[in-house]
Amino acid sequence: MTVVTRFAPSPTGFLHIGGARTALFNWLYARHTGGKFLLRIEDTDRARSTQTAVDAILDGLSWLGLQWGGDVLYQFQRAGRHAEVAHQMLAAGKAYHCYASPQELDEMREAQKRAGVPIRYDGRWRDRNPADAPPGVAPVIRLKAPHGGQTVIQDAVQGTVTVENAVLDDMILLRADGTPTYMLAVVVDDCDMGVTHVIRGDDHLNNAFRQLQIIRAMGWPEPVYAHIPLIHGTDGAKLSKRHGALGVDAYRDMGFLPAALRNYLLRLGWGHGDDEIISTAQAIDWFDLAGVGRSPSRFDAMKLTNLNAHYLREAPDAELLPLVLPRLEKKLGREVDAVGRTRLERGLNGVKQRSHTLVELADKLVFYAGHGAPAIADDKARAQLTPDSKALLMRLAASLDGVADWTDKPLEDAVRRFAEAENVKLGQVAQPLRVALSGSTASPGIFEVLAILGADETRTRLLAAGG
RNA sequence: GUCCCCAUCGUCUAGAGGCCUAGGACACCAGCCUUUCACGUUGGUAACACGGGUUCGAAUCCCGUUGGGGACGCCA
């Protein structure tokens, strides 16, 4: 049997980190088993669904590298099919019309709340004669759920979960306006799409029992359920669009790499021994449902950042350059010219070793991209440029004029000899020099910076700082 | 309120009854390396929520307590 998984977000907002992980797990499981990963947009709530949100979700998944198979299925377009199933159930006596008005049901729930009894539909139209139907009221169709016994789910993550049927009420399948509810639509679509494994957040665990009742009423094959624990914010509460969650686009803007986010998300709720750095290929090979933990986890930006720094260091320069270039040009307010580009190509490796995000990478790279004296980063850097050190830099500029081979090693020799001649420690020359060239007290190796900037640019910056 | 789920360092986790004096990673602290910052490396602080069982033996199994989370819509 070919495994079919799906990710089924509702387009009411961006793709947040929890949804991204759900998508990742579904994608990984499909890839691991050689199955298919499908995408379905649950847009049956016409009032809240937007095209902007659909685009954000599609963009987010693409950026994350989670390619879905086939066309995107839009749930609303299948409303006819959903209604058809509801009517089949009606005809088969598995469902019934309910004429209770929304206000009436609100009152019912209020009364239940006051009485301290479970809040659920009381089945007032379940066995009532249809002849009692009030005139002019469009009914909803409700599932005639089994009364006795219990419903049991063998969840691939949660294990055996049992619920008494008595606590499950007769949910609405088809609204008064003839549109399907989520419960019906999910089940019909999963069945028609041939979904074999439903991997989703465990906020859906309770829904699974209701969905199973529909599936059984229709006599359809039951999927394997895998309800993965939710991701919580640092306060321990469910992460949602309304509560602290950011869209994956926000992480892209913050300079995180898709590979890092995938690795981080994978480790949130799933483990494979002591492994931490897990490539996507490795993840596909290793991923299984049995390794998914059962307790909720909290989002830890520090760990993501650490992982991102790792993937940044590992990434080929050619891959990174196009990603930082736009950020650099935004900083400079102009295009990076050919000279700047060459320096970036040579300097990228040294800087990426020292960066955690693309944002940081761009910050630390900007001195290579521009011309003339760099902006001084902070007071610590400014403090390096004393009258004494400025004078020293002027003498250094003169001394460096004699360097014929403007590369790392000869430059290092020259600077060391200069320090010796001045009778100061190397650091006493290196730090002011670093600030003069890069604008900061922290940079790649100073001789590398010297070499990449070139003799002319170095001289320009030295004179600017010394004068 | 009712139902469901969960519980190992601050965080993510390893742990399938003896391999546990509880391992790894992030973060934090100290040392080394060093032209700065990183990287790297060495060491350190830090956890089985509590109470009962079962067992020769429990972080691991059972029950309860406490705590946390989720769900109870003509939302998805």
Side-chain angles (χ1 to χ4, degrees), chain A residues 42 44-45 175 238 269 274 276 303 354 434 441 443:
Chain A
E42 310 222 317
T44 52
D45 184 344
R175 298 184 189 112
K238 174 182 175 179
D274 285 341
E276 297 287 347
K303 192 147 184 172
R354 296 166 166 78
R434 192 186 309 282
T441 51
S443 83

mmCIF file of all heavy atoms in Angstrom, chain A residues 42 44-45 175 238 269 274 276 303 354 434 441 443, chain B residues 1 13 23-25 35-37 70-72 75-76:
data_model
loop_
_atom_site.group_PDB
_atom_site.id
_atom_site.type_symbol
_atom_site.label_atom_id
_atom_site.label_comp_id
_atom_site.label_asym_id
_atom_site.label_seq_id
_atom_site.Cartn_x
_atom_site.Cartn_y
_atom_site.Cartn_z
ATOM 1 N N GLU A 42 -8.053 24.234 3.131
ATOM 2 C CA GLU A 42 -9.378 24.111 3.737
ATOM 3 C C GLU A 42 -10.037 25.469 3.841
ATOM 4 O O GLU A 42 -9.982 26.137 4.868
ATOM 5 C CB GLU A 42 -9.265 23.431 5.102
ATOM 6 C CG GLU A 42 -8.449 22.136 5.015
ATOM 7 C CD GLU A 42 -9.021 20.989 5.810
ATOM 8 O OE1 GLU A 42 -9.450 21.226 6.958
ATOM 9 O OE2 GLU A 42 -9.031 19.859 5.284
ATOM 10 N N THR A 44 -13.315 26.257 3.374
ATOM 11 C CA THR A 44 -14.780 26.227 3.405
ATOM 12 C C THR A 44 -15.366 27.362 4.228
ATOM 13 O O THR A 44 -16.544 27.659 4.117
ATOM 14 C CB THR A 44 -15.311 24.882 3.956
ATOM 15 O OG1 THR A 44 -14.676 24.624 5.207
ATOM 16 C CG2 THR A 44 -15.028 23.759 2.996
ATOM 17 N N ASP A 45 -14.544 27.979 5.049
ATOM 18 C CA ASP A 45 -15.021 29.161 5.771
ATOM 19 C C ASP A 45 -14.782 30.362 4.859
ATOM 20 O O ASP A 45 -13.716 30.971 4.866
ATOM 21 C CB ASP A 45 -14.257 29.327 7.091
ATOM 22 C CG ASP A 45 -14.801 30.485 7.915
ATOM 23 O OD1 ASP A 45 -15.534 31.317 7.351
ATOM 24 O OD2 ASP A 45 -14.498 30.549 9.110
ATOM 25 N N ARG A 175 -24.352 22.504 6.823
ATOM 26 C CA ARG A 175 -24.972 23.693 7.391
ATOM 27 C C ARG A 175 -26.293 23.985 6.706
ATOM 28 O O ARG A 175 -26.587 23.435 5.633
ATOM 29 C CB ARG A 175 -24.043 24.903 7.217
ATOM 30 C CG ARG A 175 -22.730 24.760 7.927
ATOM 31 C CD ARG A 175 -21.910 26.049 7.795
ATOM 32 N NE ARG A 175 -20.575 25.818 8.308
ATOM 33 C CZ ARG A 175 -19.474 25.790 7.566
ATOM 34 N NH1 ARG A 175 -19.546 26.007 6.266
ATOM 35 N NH2 ARG A 175 -18.309 25.547 8.117
ATOM 36 N N LYS A 238 -0.269 27.174 23.953
ATOM 37 C CA LYS A 238 -0.308 26.840 22.524
ATOM 38 C C LYS A 238 0.121 28.015 21.659
ATOM 39 O O LYS A 238 -0.344 29.137 21.829
ATOM 40 C CB LYS A 238 -1.749 26.437 22.169
ATOM 41 C CG LYS A 238 -1.996 26.191 20.691
ATOM 42 C CD LYS A 238 -3.471 25.842 20.480
ATOM 43 C CE LYS A 238 -3.805 25.697 19.005
ATOM 44 N NZ LYS A 238 -5.221 25.339 18.804
ATOM 45 N N GLY A 269 10.131 17.592 19.058
ATOM 46 C CA GLY A 269 9.108 16.561 19.101
ATOM 47 C C GLY A 269 9.518 15.259 18.446
ATOM 48 O O GLY A 269 8.757 14.305 18.435
ATOM 49 N N ASP A 274 21.194 10.564 20.002
ATOM 50 C CA ASP A 274 21.823 11.835 20.366
ATOM 51 C C ASP A 274 22.043 12.749 19.170
ATOM 52 O O ASP A 274 22.731 13.767 19.283
ATOM 53 C CB ASP A 274 23.183 11.576 21.039
ATOM 54 C CG ASP A 274 23.016 11.081 22.467
ATOM 55 O OD1 ASP A 274 21.925 11.284 23.037
ATOM 56 O OD2 ASP A 274 23.962 10.490 23.001
ATOM 57 N N GLU A 276 21.835 15.576 16.543
ATOM 58 C CA GLU A 276 21.321 16.952 16.572
ATOM 59 C C GLU A 276 21.331 17.580 15.188
ATOM 60 O O GLU A 276 20.350 18.169 14.761
ATOM 61 C CB GLU A 276 22.177 17.812 17.512
ATOM 62 C CG GLU A 276 22.152 17.365 18.976
ATOM 63 C CD GLU A 276 20.836 17.680 19.656
ATOM 64 O OE1 GLU A 276 20.033 18.443 19.111
ATOM 65 O OE2 GLU A 276 20.628 17.146 20.769
ATOM 66 N N LYS A 303 18.299 27.960 20.133
ATOM 67 C CA LYS A 303 18.756 26.723 19.505
ATOM 68 C C LYS A 303 18.620 26.810 17.985
ATOM 69 O O LYS A 303 19.484 26.320 17.260
ATOM 70 C CB LYS A 303 17.955 25.534 20.063
ATOM 71 C CG LYS A 303 18.567 24.206 19.674
ATOM 72 C CD LYS A 303 18.368 23.154 20.736
ATOM 73 C CE LYS A 303 19.078 21.866 20.345
ATOM 74 N NZ LYS A 303 19.077 20.872 21.416
ATOM 75 N N ARG A 354 31.515 33.644 11.251
ATOM 76 C CA ARG A 354 31.271 34.450 12.450
ATOM 77 C C ARG A 354 29.842 34.956 12.544
ATOM 78 O O ARG A 354 29.559 35.871 13.301
ATOM 79 C CB ARG A 354 32.225 35.645 12.425
ATOM 80 C CG ARG A 354 33.661 35.245 12.515
ATOM 81 C CD ARG A 354 34.597 36.378 12.157
ATOM 82 N NE ARG A 354 35.963 36.059 12.569
ATOM 83 C CZ ARG A 354 36.770 35.243 11.904
ATOM 84 N NH1 ARG A 354 36.353 34.689 10.789
ATOM 85 N NH2 ARG A 354 37.978 34.981 12.362
ATOM 86 N N ARG A 434 42.030 47.289 12.618
ATOM 87 C CA ARG A 434 40.757 46.600 12.366
ATOM 88 C C ARG A 434 39.600 47.600 12.323
ATOM 89 O O ARG A 434 38.731 47.530 11.452
ATOM 90 C CB ARG A 434 40.522 45.570 13.473
ATOM 91 C CG ARG A 434 39.396 44.583 13.213
ATOM 92 C CD ARG A 434 39.151 43.686 14.432
ATOM 93 N NE ARG A 434 40.380 43.075 14.923
ATOM 94 C CZ ARG A 434 40.974 42.023 14.361
ATOM 95 N NH1 ARG A 434 40.442 41.466 13.306
ATOM 96 N NH2 ARG A 434 42.090 41.530 14.865
ATOM 97 N N THR A 441 35.438 46.315 16.187
ATOM 98 C CA THR A 441 36.518 45.648 16.912
ATOM 99 C C THR A 441 36.516 44.148 16.647
ATOM 100 O O THR A 441 37.398 43.435 17.081
ATOM 101 C CB THR A 441 36.378 45.871 18.433
ATOM 102 O OG1 THR A 441 35.045 45.533 18.821
ATOM 103 C CG2 THR A 441 36.666 47.313 18.804
ATOM 104 N N SER A 443 36.192 41.281 13.575
ATOM 105 C CA SER A 443 36.187 41.056 12.129
ATOM 106 C C SER A 443 36.920 39.757 11.835
ATOM 107 O O SER A 443 37.496 39.154 12.726
ATOM 108 C CB SER A 443 36.900 42.223 11.426
ATOM 109 O OG SER A 443 38.311 42.027 11.450
ATOM 110 P P G B 1 -13.431 23.129 37.382
ATOM 111 O OP1 G B 1 -13.174 22.471 38.650
ATOM 112 O OP2 G B 1 -12.395 23.155 36.359
ATOM 113 O "O5'" G B 1 -14.753 22.498 36.730
ATOM 114 C "C5'" G B 1 -15.947 22.361 37.506
ATOM 115 C "C4'" G B 1 -17.046 21.944 36.579
ATOM 116 O "O4'" G B 1 -17.273 23.016 35.625
ATOM 117 C "C3'" G B 1 -16.704 20.735 35.718
ATOM 118 O "O3'" G B 1 -17.052 19.543 36.390
ATOM 119 C "C2'" G B 1 -17.566 20.960 34.484
ATOM 120 O "O2'" G B 1 -18.901 20.567 34.687
ATOM 121 C "C1'" G B 1 -17.511 22.482 34.331
ATOM 122 N N9 G B 1 -16.463 22.979 33.442
ATOM 123 C C8 G B 1 -15.389 23.759 33.800
ATOM 124 N N7 G B 1 -14.632 24.085 32.787
ATOM 125 C C5 G B 1 -15.253 23.484 31.686
ATOM 126 C C6 G B 1 -14.892 23.482 30.311
ATOM 127 O O6 G B 1 -13.926 24.042 29.777
ATOM 128 N N1 G B 1 -15.774 22.742 29.539
ATOM 129 C C2 G B 1 -16.875 22.089 30.032
ATOM 130 N N2 G B 1 -17.615 21.423 29.141
ATOM 131 N N3 G B 1 -17.232 22.077 31.327
ATOM 132 C C4 G B 1 -16.384 22.794 32.079
ATOM 133 P P U B 13 11.047 17.905 22.503
ATOM 134 O OP1 U B 13 10.049 17.660 21.471
ATOM 135 O OP2 U B 13 10.672 17.865 23.931
ATOM 136 O "O5'" U B 13 12.270 16.927 22.243
ATOM 137 C "C5'" U B 13 12.439 15.754 22.989
ATOM 138 C "C4'" U B 13 13.860 15.307 22.815
ATOM 139 O "O4'" U B 13 14.727 16.218 23.536
ATOM 140 C "C3'" U B 13 14.185 13.945 23.404
ATOM 141 O "O3'" U B 13 13.864 12.935 22.453
ATOM 142 C "C2'" U B 13 15.681 14.051 23.626
ATOM 143 O "O2'" U B 13 16.400 13.882 22.438
ATOM 144 C "C1'" U B 13 15.822 15.501 24.086
ATOM 145 N N1 U B 13 15.793 15.658 25.553
ATOM 146 C C2 U B 13 16.870 15.147 26.248
ATOM 147 O O2 U B 13 17.799 14.578 25.691
ATOM 148 N N3 U B 13 16.816 15.314 27.608
ATOM 149 C C4 U B 13 15.815 15.921 28.322
ATOM 150 O O4 U B 13 15.913 15.994 29.545
ATOM 151 C C5 U B 13 14.739 16.427 27.534
ATOM 152 C C6 U B 13 14.764 16.279 26.211
ATOM 153 P P G B 23 24.932 11.610 33.135
ATOM 154 O OP1 G B 23 26.061 11.178 33.955
ATOM 155 O OP2 G B 23 24.174 12.819 33.486
ATOM 156 O "O5'" G B 23 25.398 11.711 31.634
ATOM 157 C "C5'" G B 23 26.140 10.655 31.046
ATOM 158 C "C4'" G B 23 25.753 10.509 29.603
ATOM 159 O "O4'" G B 23 24.401 9.984 29.508
ATOM 160 C "C3'" G B 23 25.661 11.834 28.826
ATOM 161 O "O3'" G B 23 26.926 12.313 28.417
ATOM 162 C "C2'" G B 23 24.772 11.425 27.665
ATOM 163 O "O2'" G B 23 25.461 10.644 26.723
ATOM 164 C "C1'" G B 23 23.737 10.564 28.394
ATOM 165 N N9 G B 23 22.644 11.399 28.878
ATOM 166 C C8 G B 23 22.366 11.783 30.175
ATOM 167 N N7 G B 23 21.330 12.571 30.274
ATOM 168 C C5 G B 23 20.889 12.732 28.968
ATOM 169 C C6 G B 23 19.805 13.473 28.449
ATOM 170 O O6 G B 23 18.986 14.169 29.054
ATOM 171 N N1 G B 23 19.719 13.369 27.064
ATOM 172 C C2 G B 23 20.578 12.630 26.275
ATOM 173 N N2 G B 23 20.346 12.653 24.959
ATOM 174 N N3 G B 23 21.601 11.920 26.745
ATOM 175 C C4 G B 23 21.685 12.013 28.083
ATOM 176 P P G B 24 27.173 13.890 28.336
ATOM 177 O OP1 G B 24 28.621 14.110 28.216
ATOM 178 O OP2 G B 24 26.411 14.554 29.416
ATOM 179 O "O5'" G B 24 26.488 14.250 26.948
ATOM 180 C "C5'" G B 24 26.944 13.617 25.752
ATOM 181 C "C4'" G B 24 26.033 13.984 24.614
ATOM 182 O "O4'" G B 24 24.691 13.526 24.907
ATOM 183 C "C3'" G B 24 25.854 15.478 24.383
ATOM 184 O "O3'" G B 24 26.921 16.027 23.635
ATOM 185 C "C2'" G B 24 24.557 15.483 23.585
ATOM 186 O "O2'" G B 24 24.768 15.050 22.253
ATOM 187 C "C1'" G B 24 23.753 14.423 24.329
ATOM 188 N N9 G B 24 22.934 15.004 25.396
ATOM 189 C C8 G B 24 23.148 14.946 26.751
ATOM 190 N N7 G B 24 22.232 15.576 27.442
ATOM 191 C C5 G B 24 21.369 16.084 26.489
ATOM 192 C C6 G B 24 20.177 16.856 26.630
ATOM 193 O O6 G B 24 19.644 17.260 27.666
ATOM 194 N N1 G B 24 19.614 17.162 25.406
ATOM 195 C C2 G B 24 20.106 16.774 24.184
ATOM 196 N N2 G B 24 19.416 17.166 23.113
ATOM 197 N N3 G B 24 21.214 16.042 24.032
ATOM 198 C C4 G B 24 21.780 15.733 25.216
ATOM 199 P P A B 25 27.312 17.554 23.826
ATOM 200 O OP1 A B 25 28.503 17.801 23.008
ATOM 201 O OP2 A B 25 27.308 17.888 25.271
ATOM 202 O "O5'" A B 25 26.076 18.304 23.159
ATOM 203 C "C5'" A B 25 25.863 18.214 21.759
ATOM 204 C "C4'" A B 25 24.628 18.992 21.397
ATOM 205 O "O4'" A B 25 23.475 18.376 22.038
ATOM 206 C "C3'" A B 25 24.599 20.427 21.911
ATOM 207 O "O3'" A B 25 25.327 21.298 21.075
ATOM 208 C "C2'" A B 25 23.103 20.714 21.871
ATOM 209 O "O2'" A B 25 22.652 20.926 20.559
ATOM 210 C "C1'" A B 25 22.544 19.386 22.383
ATOM 211 N N9 A B 25 22.384 19.408 23.843
ATOM 212 C C8 A B 25 23.190 18.865 24.809
ATOM 213 N N7 A B 25 22.762 19.078 26.032
ATOM 214 C C5 A B 25 21.597 19.818 25.862
ATOM 215 C C6 A B 25 20.668 20.369 26.771
ATOM 216 N N6 A B 25 20.780 20.246 28.094
ATOM 217 N N1 A B 25 19.615 21.057 26.264
ATOM 218 C C2 A B 25 19.527 21.177 24.934
ATOM 219 N N3 A B 25 20.332 20.708 23.977
ATOM 220 C C4 A B 25 21.356 20.026 24.514
ATOM 221 P P U B 35 48.269 35.989 18.261
ATOM 222 O OP1 U B 35 49.246 36.154 17.180
ATOM 223 O OP2 U B 35 48.723 35.837 19.671
ATOM 224 O "O5'" U B 35 47.238 37.198 18.216
ATOM 225 C "C5'" U B 35 47.606 38.454 18.759
ATOM 226 C "C4'" U B 35 46.622 39.475 18.263
ATOM 227 O "O4'" U B 35 46.884 39.739 16.862
ATOM 228 C "C3'" U B 35 45.185 38.985 18.301
ATOM 229 O "O3'" U B 35 44.622 39.241 19.570
ATOM 230 C "C2'" U B 35 44.540 39.817 17.201
ATOM 231 O "O2'" U B 35 44.179 41.100 17.651
ATOM 232 C "C1'" U B 35 45.678 39.964 16.178
ATOM 233 N N1 U B 35 45.593 39.035 15.051
ATOM 234 C C2 U B 35 44.651 39.290 14.056
ATOM 235 O O2 U B 35 43.896 40.230 14.115
ATOM 236 N N3 U B 35 44.638 38.408 13.025
ATOM 237 C C4 U B 35 45.463 37.314 12.857
ATOM 238 O O4 U B 35 45.332 36.609 11.862
ATOM 239 C C5 U B 35 46.397 37.095 13.930
ATOM 240 C C6 U B 35 46.433 37.958 14.958
ATOM 241 P P U B 36 43.478 38.307 20.142
ATOM 242 O OP1 U B 36 43.578 38.275 21.614
ATOM 243 O OP2 U B 36 43.493 37.049 19.367
ATOM 244 O "O5'" U B 36 42.161 39.107 19.758
ATOM 245 C "C5'" U B 36 41.911 40.396 20.311
ATOM 246 C "C4'" U B 36 40.674 40.954 19.681
ATOM 247 O "O4'" U B 36 40.906 41.144 18.262
ATOM 248 C "C3'" U B 36 39.466 40.031 19.742
ATOM 249 O "O3'" U B 36 38.788 40.183 20.972
ATOM 250 C "C2'" U B 36 38.627 40.541 18.578
ATOM 251 O "O2'" U B 36 37.943 41.719 18.909
ATOM 252 C "C1'" U B 36 39.710 40.889 17.552
ATOM 253 N N1 U B 36 39.966 39.827 16.554
ATOM 254 C C2 U B 36 39.052 39.707 15.532
ATOM 255 O O2 U B 36 38.059 40.404 15.447
ATOM 256 N N3 U B 36 39.348 38.746 14.597
ATOM 257 C C4 U B 36 40.428 37.908 14.601
ATOM 258 O O4 U B 36 40.559 37.105 13.682
ATOM 259 C C5 U B 36 41.329 38.080 15.710
ATOM 260 C C6 U B 36 41.066 39.015 16.628
ATOM 261 P P C B 37 38.062 38.919 21.652
ATOM 262 O OP1 C B 37 37.509 39.364 22.939
ATOM 263 O OP2 C B 37 38.988 37.768 21.591
ATOM 264 O "O5'" C B 37 36.855 38.642 20.654
ATOM 265 C "C5'" C B 37 35.833 39.618 20.452
ATOM 266 C "C4'" C B 37 34.955 39.166 19.315
ATOM 267 O "O4'" C B 37 35.701 39.200 18.070
ATOM 268 C "C3'" C B 37 34.485 37.721 19.413
ATOM 269 O "O3'" C B 37 33.357 37.635 20.265
ATOM 270 C "C2'" C B 37 34.143 37.412 17.962
ATOM 271 O "O2'" C B 37 32.899 37.956 17.591
ATOM 272 C "C1'" C B 37 35.251 38.162 17.216
ATOM 273 N N1 C B 37 36.398 37.295 16.877
ATOM 274 C C2 C B 37 36.398 36.650 15.632
ATOM 275 O O2 C B 37 35.436 36.836 14.874
ATOM 276 N N3 C B 37 37.434 35.858 15.293
ATOM 277 C C4 C B 37 38.436 35.687 16.145
ATOM 278 N N4 C B 37 39.451 34.896 15.768
ATOM 279 C C5 C B 37 38.465 36.316 17.428
ATOM 280 C C6 C B 37 37.429 37.107 17.754
ATOM 281 P P G B 70 -3.652 25.267 25.406
ATOM 282 O OP1 G B 70 -3.334 26.291 24.400
ATOM 283 O OP2 G B 70 -4.447 25.620 26.599
ATOM 284 O "O5'" G B 70 -4.387 24.047 24.697
ATOM 285 C "C5'" G B 70 -3.829 23.461 23.535
ATOM 286 C "C4'" G B 70 -4.605 22.224 23.176
ATOM 287 O "O4'" G B 70 -4.571 21.300 24.291
ATOM 288 C "C3'" G B 70 -6.083 22.433 22.934
ATOM 289 O "O3'" G B 70 -6.331 22.919 21.634
ATOM 290 C "C2'" G B 70 -6.608 21.013 23.123
ATOM 291 O "O2'" G B 70 -6.297 20.204 22.010
ATOM 292 C "C1'" G B 70 -5.782 20.557 24.318
ATOM 293 N N9 G B 70 -6.469 20.794 25.581
ATOM 294 C C8 G B 70 -6.193 21.738 26.532
ATOM 295 N N7 G B 70 -6.992 21.679 27.574
ATOM 296 C C5 G B 70 -7.852 20.627 27.276
ATOM 297 C C6 G B 70 -8.937 20.083 28.023
ATOM 298 O O6 G B 70 -9.353 20.431 29.127
ATOM 299 N N1 G B 70 -9.539 19.033 27.341
ATOM 300 C C2 G B 70 -9.165 18.564 26.113
ATOM 301 N N2 G B 70 -9.881 17.544 25.612
ATOM 302 N N3 G B 70 -8.160 19.055 25.412
ATOM 303 C C4 G B 70 -7.547 20.075 26.053
ATOM 304 P P A B 71 -7.616 23.818 21.395
ATOM 305 O OP1 A B 71 -7.516 24.289 20.009
ATOM 306 O OP2 A B 71 -7.782 24.782 22.509
ATOM 307 O "O5'" A B 71 -8.790 22.759 21.499
ATOM 308 C "C5'" A B 71 -8.868 21.692 20.559
ATOM 309 C "C4'" A B 71 -9.992 20.784 20.941
ATOM 310 O "O4'" A B 71 -9.721 20.197 22.236
ATOM 311 C "C3'" A B 71 -11.330 21.465 21.135
ATOM 312 O "O3'" A B 71 -11.966 21.707 19.896
ATOM 313 C "C2'" A B 71 -12.070 20.434 21.988
ATOM 314 O "O2'" A B 71 -12.486 19.331 21.221
ATOM 315 C "C1'" A B 71 -10.942 19.988 22.923
ATOM 316 N N9 A B 71 -10.929 20.773 24.154
ATOM 317 C C8 A B 71 -10.165 21.863 24.474
ATOM 318 N N7 A B 71 -10.393 22.327 25.687
ATOM 319 C C5 A B 71 -11.370 21.488 26.188
ATOM 320 C C6 A B 71 -12.038 21.447 27.423
ATOM 321 N N6 A B 71 -11.813 22.295 28.417
ATOM 322 N N1 A B 71 -12.966 20.478 27.608
ATOM 323 C C2 A B 71 -13.201 19.613 26.614
ATOM 324 N N3 A B 71 -12.628 19.546 25.411
ATOM 325 C C4 A B 71 -11.716 20.524 25.259
ATOM 326 P P C B 72 -13.203 22.677 19.834
ATOM 327 O OP1 C B 72 -13.496 22.931 18.422
ATOM 328 O OP2 C B 72 -13.004 23.815 20.771
ATOM 329 O "O5'" C B 72 -14.335 21.723 20.410
ATOM 330 C "C5'" C B 72 -15.637 22.221 20.587
ATOM 331 C "C4'" C B 72 -16.345 21.376 21.602
ATOM 332 O "O4'" C B 72 -15.402 20.958 22.620
ATOM 333 C "C3'" C B 72 -17.406 22.152 22.357
ATOM 334 O "O3'" C B 72 -18.633 22.116 21.630
ATOM 335 C "C2'" C B 72 -17.481 21.407 23.670
ATOM 336 O "O2'" C B 72 -18.293 20.275 23.582
ATOM 337 C "C1'" C B 72 -16.017 21.015 23.888
ATOM 338 N N1 C B 72 -15.298 21.990 24.709
ATOM 339 C C2 C B 72 -15.606 22.062 26.062
ATOM 340 O O2 C B 72 -16.458 21.298 26.524
ATOM 341 N N3 C B 72 -14.967 22.972 26.829
ATOM 342 C C4 C B 72 -14.047 23.783 26.294
ATOM 343 N N4 C B 72 -13.453 24.660 27.086
ATOM 344 C C5 C B 72 -13.719 23.725 24.913
ATOM 345 C C6 C B 72 -14.359 22.825 24.154
ATOM 346 P P C B 75 -20.036 27.887 10.960
ATOM 347 O OP1 C B 75 -20.104 29.045 11.865
ATOM 348 O OP2 C B 75 -20.255 28.119 9.540
ATOM 349 O "O5'" C B 75 -18.648 27.124 11.076
ATOM 350 C "C5'" C B 75 -17.833 27.248 12.189
ATOM 351 C "C4'" C B 75 -16.489 27.802 11.766
ATOM 352 O "O4'" C B 75 -15.767 28.162 12.952
ATOM 353 C "C3'" C B 75 -15.574 26.797 11.066
ATOM 354 O "O3'" C B 75 -15.838 26.739 9.667
ATOM 355 C "C2'" C B 75 -14.217 27.401 11.354
ATOM 356 O "O2'" C B 75 -13.952 28.488 10.483
ATOM 357 C "C1'" C B 75 -14.403 27.932 12.775
ATOM 358 N N1 C B 75 -13.956 26.969 13.821
ATOM 359 C C2 C B 75 -12.621 27.057 14.234
ATOM 360 O O2 C B 75 -11.890 27.903 13.701
ATOM 361 N N3 C B 75 -12.172 26.211 15.195
ATOM 362 C C4 C B 75 -12.996 25.305 15.720
ATOM 363 N N4 C B 75 -12.509 24.510 16.654
ATOM 364 C C5 C B 75 -14.358 25.201 15.311
ATOM 365 C C6 C B 75 -14.796 26.037 14.355
ATOM 366 P P A B 76 -15.573 25.407 8.844
ATOM 367 O OP1 A B 76 -15.935 25.709 7.455
ATOM 368 O OP2 A B 76 -16.211 24.288 9.548
ATOM 369 O "O5'" A B 76 -13.992 25.195 8.935
ATOM 370 C "C5'" A B 76 -13.087 26.042 8.227
ATOM 371 C "C4'" A B 76 -11.700 25.718 8.718
ATOM 372 O "O4'" A B 76 -11.644 25.918 10.152
ATOM 373 C "C3'" A B 76 -11.277 24.267 8.540
ATOM 374 O "O3'" A B 76 -10.742 24.023 7.257
ATOM 375 C "C2'" A B 76 -10.242 24.091 9.641
ATOM 376 O "O2'" A B 76 -9.004 24.641 9.266
ATOM 377 C "C1'" A B 76 -10.840 24.919 10.759
ATOM 378 N N9 A B 76 -11.683 24.109 11.653
ATOM 379 C C8 A B 76 -13.005 23.789 11.512
ATOM 380 N N7 A B 76 -13.476 23.034 12.475
ATOM 381 C C5 A B 76 -12.388 22.841 13.309
ATOM 382 C C6 A B 76 -12.227 22.131 14.511
ATOM 383 N N6 A B 76 -13.218 21.442 15.099
ATOM 384 N N1 A B 76 -11.014 22.129 15.101
ATOM 385 C C2 A B 76 -10.027 22.804 14.499
ATOM 386 N N3 A B 76 -10.059 23.520 13.372
ATOM 387 C C4 A B 76 -11.280 23.493 12.820
#
